[in-house]
Amino acid sequence: DTGVSQDPRHKITKRGQNVTFRCDPISEHNRLYWYRQTLGQGPEFLTYFQNEAQLEKSRLLSDRFSAERPKGSFSTLEIQRTEQGDSAMYLCASSFGGHFYEQYFGPGTRLTVT
Amino acid sequence: AQSVTQLDSQVPVFEEAPVELRCNYSSSVSVYLFWYVQYPNQGLQLLLKYLSGSTLVESINGFEAEFNKSQTSFHLRKPSVHISDTAEYFCAVRPRETSGSRLTFGEGTQLTVNP
């Protein structure tokens, strides 16, 4: 198993454009999480899925953000009408189960909005 | 809600010196505690965790952390650091009773080990 993968690793976009990121979790992990990390800060929770169900969303996830996990495997995070404040590292993590299971993080997608 | 405070944003030390990275948390419910490490251009890796039992937990590369419930702290220590320990370290908490399992992170401490 190669771990959690994210694509692309870097994305530069102009303000107002839409972007989509993909996360492939470790196979058979039923939980998938998205976090956002801005420069000099720790990661902040955005949302999480158990299988294909999106069970929790942070207040940080404005209506311009949408996440999906259609078949309970990979997930996509879309940002519509990007703003400069969206520039950050977007991290994906997966875990096998709930409380006692470690969240494994991917390398992240760095978004720069110009 | 939970919050995590890492008291030092940067900690420079010399190789083979001891180091302590401080972490305090605030929560209205019981939490699990974690330390993650992030090497340059890499994802977060779990360093160690406290779930229950002994309040002193250790990692395979010589780090240890002690859960202090009365002081709501989970400080990370290593008696002798190496150049390769240079990285950013994040303290995190997660509620014990909530199945959502979201992690709340501190702002991070950049550990720089100098020769």
Side-chain angles (χ1 to χ4, degrees):
Chain A
D1 197 331
T2 58
V4 179
S5 61
Q6 294 186 244
D7 183 68
R9 294 289 305 274
H10 304 274
K11 178 71 177 178
I12 300 174
T13 192
K14 293 184 178 180
R15 187 177 55 189
Q17 298 294 304
N18 298 344
V19 294
T20 300
F21 310 139
R22 177 179 170 125
C23 170
D24 287 90
I26 295 171
S27 59
E28 298 184 355
H29 277 193
N30 61 5
R31 294 196 173 200
L32 187 147
Y33 308 81
W34 285 99
Y35 293 84
R36 183 174 70 184
Q37 185 178 16
T38 53
L39 200 60
Q41 302 294 317
E44 296 173 293
F45 171 81
L46 291 178
T47 188
Y48 100 95
F49 294 83
Q50 180 163 312
N51 299 313
E52 65 275 8
Q54 188 174 19
L55 296 187
E56 189 177 356
K57 293 194 292 186
S58 161
R59 292 171 298 173
L60 293 174
L61 212 65
S62 75
D63 56 4
R64 296 185 299 105
F65 289 70
S66 62
E68 294 182 343
R69 195 183 183 197
K71 297 182 180 179
S73 56
F74 73 93
S75 175
T76 58
L77 177 68
E78 181 183 16
I79 309 175
Q80 296 182 328
R81 305 181 303 281
T82 52
E83 302 173 355
Q84 287 189 321
D86 297 331
S87 295
M89 177 76 84
Y90 290 84
L91 300 170
C92 176
S94 69
S95 71
F96 183 74
H99 295 89
F100 297 108
Y101 291 94
E102 175 184 347
Q103 292 182 26
Y104 291 83
F105 282 81
T109 294
R110 181 168 295 285
L111 173 66
T112 303
V113 182
T114 62
Chain B
Q2 293 77 46
S3 67
V4 177
T5 302
Q6 293 184 240
L7 298 164
D8 306 291
S9 60
Q10 301 203 23
V11 174
V13 295
F14 288 110
E15 194 172 19
E16 298 184 3
V19 71
E20 178 180 77
L21 307 184
R22 296 178 292 169
C23 172
N24 286 94
Y25 70 93
S26 172
S27 177
S28 56
V29 300
S30 296
V31 295
Y32 299 125
L33 298 120
F34 306 84
W35 276 98
Y36 280 82
V37 59
Q38 187 172 34
Y39 298 103
N41 300 316
Q42 294 187 27
L44 291 161
Q45 300 172 31
L46 181 66
L47 187 60
L48 45 75
K49 60 187 176 185
Y50 172 74
L51 301 181
S52 64
S54 172
T55 58
L56 184 66
V57 291
E58 299 178 351
S59 72
I60 58 173
N61 57 353
F63 282 94
E64 65 179 30
E66 185 161 19
F67 170 52
N68 187 317
K69 187 175 182 180
S70 63
Q71 297 185 3
T72 61
S73 67
F74 191 54
H75 301 332
L76 181 69
R77 301 183 183 94
K78 189 170 184 180
S80 177
V81 294
H82 303 290
I83 298 283
S84 59
D85 293 324
T86 294
E88 185 134 28
Y89 292 79
F90 293 95
C91 181
V93 301
R94 195 174 79 200
R96 286 176 175 264
E97 295 152 3
T98 306
S99 62
S101 302
R102 64 156 75 181
L103 288 164
T104 298
F105 286 87
E107 294 184 348
T109 297
Q110 174 65 44
L111 173 65
T112 303
V113 182
N114 298 301

